[in-house]
Amino acid sequence: METGKVVIISGPSGAGKTTVVKQLIQECSLPLELSVSATTRPARPGEKDGIDYRFMSDEKFQHHRENQDFLECFEVFGRGYWYGTLKTDVTTSLAAGKWVILEIDVQGMKSVKSQYADAISVFIRPSSLDELERRLRGRATESEETIQRRLEVATHEWSYKTQYTYDIINESVDETVKTICQSLLTHR
Ligand code: 5GP
């Protein structure tokens, strides 16, 4: 069996990444699998341990760090929590021929690229930072402070978009999923 590939997906919060990834896994004919990251951030309502994230204490996370269990791990810019990809999750999936999707930030992308040179990376974003601000405000559930912080993080991440294999503007989820699937298929 052929070994799989690593697919990195990044993008600012509010870009629609999670929705795109879910639909991509359902609709694309490749054997895609989402890697479940570890994090020290508390679960949000509705999130399930082992499905959305592996939620862990600071202590447990640092223990994994010391053991060098992570392929990459970072205190994600502007979040104040640690996030990381466990090495064994990725190596097991690759050995089984899966294409492992890592939904990680820009720091994680750089680290993974240095270890898997043939990793395919996709940056998903709205057309402009103004559009992102409109989307974040449109949710109307977040405080002004949260919106400002997200925009600050997004502005920082935005500057890395040219370092990705694909820089994709998400205007319609269906179109974005189709574009990413077709792009990935060219790497088969
Ligand atoms: P959230 O807390 O909103 O689920 O995610 C916050 C940010 O953490 C997102 O930008 C997401 O891409 C990033 N992230 C999630 N898991 C990982 C991971 O394992 N490694 C890295 N470097 N970033 C991650």
Side-chain angles (χ1 to χ4, degrees), residues 17 37 41 44 53 72 76 79 83-85 103-105:
K17 253 179 317 181
S37 295
R41 98 152 152 69
R44 297 189 188 122
Y53 279 104
E72 59 79 35
V76 170
R79 303 269 167 177
Y83 294 80
T85 306
E103 206 188 309
I104 58 180
D105 79 331

Side-chain angles (χ1 to χ4, degrees), residues 60-173:
K60 188 165 178 199
F61 196 98
Q62 295 311 329
H63 180 72
H64 279 304
R65 248 187 109 196
E66 280 155 25
N67 271 356
Q68 306 196 322
D69 294 337
F70 288 117
L71 174 64
E72 59 79 35
C73 71
F74 290 95
E75 192 178 350
V76 170
F77 183 79
R79 303 269 167 177
Y81 295 111
W82 283 85
Y83 294 80
T85 306
L86 287 161
K87 273 183 200 164
T88 51
D89 284 351
V90 175
T91 52
T92 308
S93 298
L94 289 179
K98 304 283 188 196
W99 289 42
V100 194
I101 299 183
L102 308 180
E103 206 188 309
I104 58 180
D105 79 331
V106 294
Q107 307 171 91
M109 176 277 286
K110 286 209 278 187
S111 170
V112 172
K113 275 279 203 183
S114 71
Q115 299 172 75
Y116 289 96
D118 65 344
I120 305 157
S121 56
V122 182
F123 193 84
I124 302 179
R125 63 177 175 100
S127 55
S128 64
L129 281 165
D130 283 348
E131 173 59 22
L132 180 70
E133 182 167 357
R134 257 194 302 278
R135 287 195 202 180
L136 288 174
R137 291 193 186 285
R139 287 181 183 175
T141 49
E142 275 124 17
S143 65
E144 181 60 29
E145 193 192 337
T146 307
I147 292 171
Q148 286 306 329
R149 192 170 44 80
R150 294 229 160 128
L151 282 173
E152 196 188 316
V153 174
T155 307
H156 168 78
E157 295 191 326
W158 205 263
S159 57
Y160 288 87
K161 63 183 173 13
T162 54
Q163 294 187 30
Y164 284 72
T165 322
Y166 300 103
D167 172 23
I168 292 181
I169 297 173
N170 179 26
E171 267 160 0
S172 128
V173 175

Side-chain angles (χ1 to χ4, degrees), residues 34-49:
L34 181 63
S35 154
V36 180
S37 295
T39 184
T40 61
R41 98 152 152 69
R44 297 189 188 122
E47 285 184 331
K48 291 201 175 66
D49 186 33

